[in-house]
């Protein structure tokens, strides 16, 4: 089945709503953002908002979903044998990029990695890890993919909530070593 491309008008409207939400959340927590101020900032009507999203949380998850894809790509941004001590440059860049939006991510990604964004992150990272592990013929693709997804989501969430103290570069290095070791753990 060939995917149908998204209508450019829909894509533009959603992009405006996502950007307006990120701008609003730069000033205050998601819980204090109202639909009225959001649609005013986006330059769309209230009905348009509800045509695209059920509520502000759905918009927030959509706005942050690109970051989820960036995280998945950053963790897989290497070829050949990974250097166990140095993460691919995309991983520290990912942590640097999300740091300014910590408050928004804290609302969507709870400690331990749960929450609406945690579910999306876990699902996408598990699927990508499983596929790559299966293609490589590595043992236990389901088990290791689940462990990688849970570990990354949990560490990311705990770092965002201040439960792990580290700069973006430090957390990238720690996460990288953890995930490389998960992949190397002998199974069976």
């Amino acid at each position: 089945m060939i995917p149908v491309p998204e209508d450019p008008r829909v894509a533009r409207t959603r992009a405006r709503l996502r950007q307006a939400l990120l701008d609003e959340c730069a000033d205050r927590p998601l819980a204090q953002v109202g639909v009225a101020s959001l649609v005013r900032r986006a330059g769309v009507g209230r009905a348009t908002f509800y045509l695209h999203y059920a509520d502000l949380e759905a918009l927030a998850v959509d706005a942050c979903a690109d970051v989820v894809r960036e995280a998945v790509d950053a963790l897989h941004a290497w070829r050949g044998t990974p250097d166990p001590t140095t993460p691919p440059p995309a991983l520290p860049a990912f942590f640097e990029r999300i740091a300014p939006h910590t408050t928004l991510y804290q609302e969507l990604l709870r400690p331990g990695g749960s929450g609406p964004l945690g579910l999306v992150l876990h699902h996408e990272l598990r699927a990508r890890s499983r596929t790559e592990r299966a293609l490589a013929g590595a043992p236990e693709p389901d088990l290791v993919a689940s462990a990688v997804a849970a570990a990354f989501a949990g560490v990311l969430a705990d770092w965002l909530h201040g439960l792990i103290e580290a700069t973006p570069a430090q957390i990238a290095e720690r996460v990288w070593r953890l995930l490389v070791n998960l992949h190397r753990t002998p199974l069976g």
Side-chain angles (χ1 to χ4, degrees), residues 4-14 52:
V4 178
E6 185 177 32
D7 181 332
R9 294 170 298 176
V10 170
R12 280 192 303 273
T13 299
R14 287 182 175 219
H52 294 279

Side-chain angles (χ1 to χ4, degrees), residues 3-34:
V4 178
E6 185 177 32
D7 181 332
R9 294 170 298 176
V10 170
R12 280 192 303 273
T13 299
R14 287 182 175 219
R16 289 170 68 186
L17 288 166
R18 287 191 300 261
Q19 187 58 54
L21 178 78
L22 292 174
D23 293 345
E24 288 285 318
C25 287
D27 300 332
R28 59 183 169 273
L30 179 62
Q32 294 177 8
V33 173

Side-chain angles (χ1 to χ4, degrees), residues 151 154-167 171 174-175:
V155 170
L156 173 61
D158 288 356
W159 176 71
L160 287 168
H161 283 275
L163 300 174
I164 299 171
E165 291 189 30
T167 65
I171 197 67
R174 291 175 183 171
V175 163

Side-chain angles (χ1 to χ4, degrees), residues 65-183:
D66 285 340
V67 170
V68 167
R69 287 178 201 91
E70 285 180 34
V72 172
D73 289 343
L75 288 171
H76 294 90
W78 55 272
R79 291 292 164 243
T81 304
D83 177 349
T85 59
T86 306
L91 190 58
F94 161 75
F95 282 100
E96 288 285 348
R97 211 167 17 265
I98 67 168
H101 304 288
T102 297
T103 304
L104 176 59
Y105 291 108
Q106 286 173 334
E107 294 185 54
L108 300 172
L109 188 62
R110 294 181 190 80
S114 65
L117 189 58
L119 295 173
V120 173
L121 176 59
H122 187 275
H123 174 77
E124 292 202 15
L125 183 53
R126 185 185 185 285
R128 176 86 169 265
S129 293
R130 190 209 176 286
T131 298
E132 291 198 7
R133 195 160 174 89
L135 287 173
E140 300 282 358
D142 291 319
L143 177 68
V144 174
S146 290
V148 164
F152 184 77
V155 170
L156 173 61
D158 288 356
W159 176 71
L160 287 168
H161 283 275
L163 300 174
I164 299 171
E165 291 189 30
T167 65
Q170 290 169 333
I171 197 67
E173 288 175 15
R174 291 175 183 171
V175 163
W176 182 247
R177 286 193 308 265
L178 173 67
L179 298 181
V180 166
N181 284 321
L182 276 173
H183 278 284

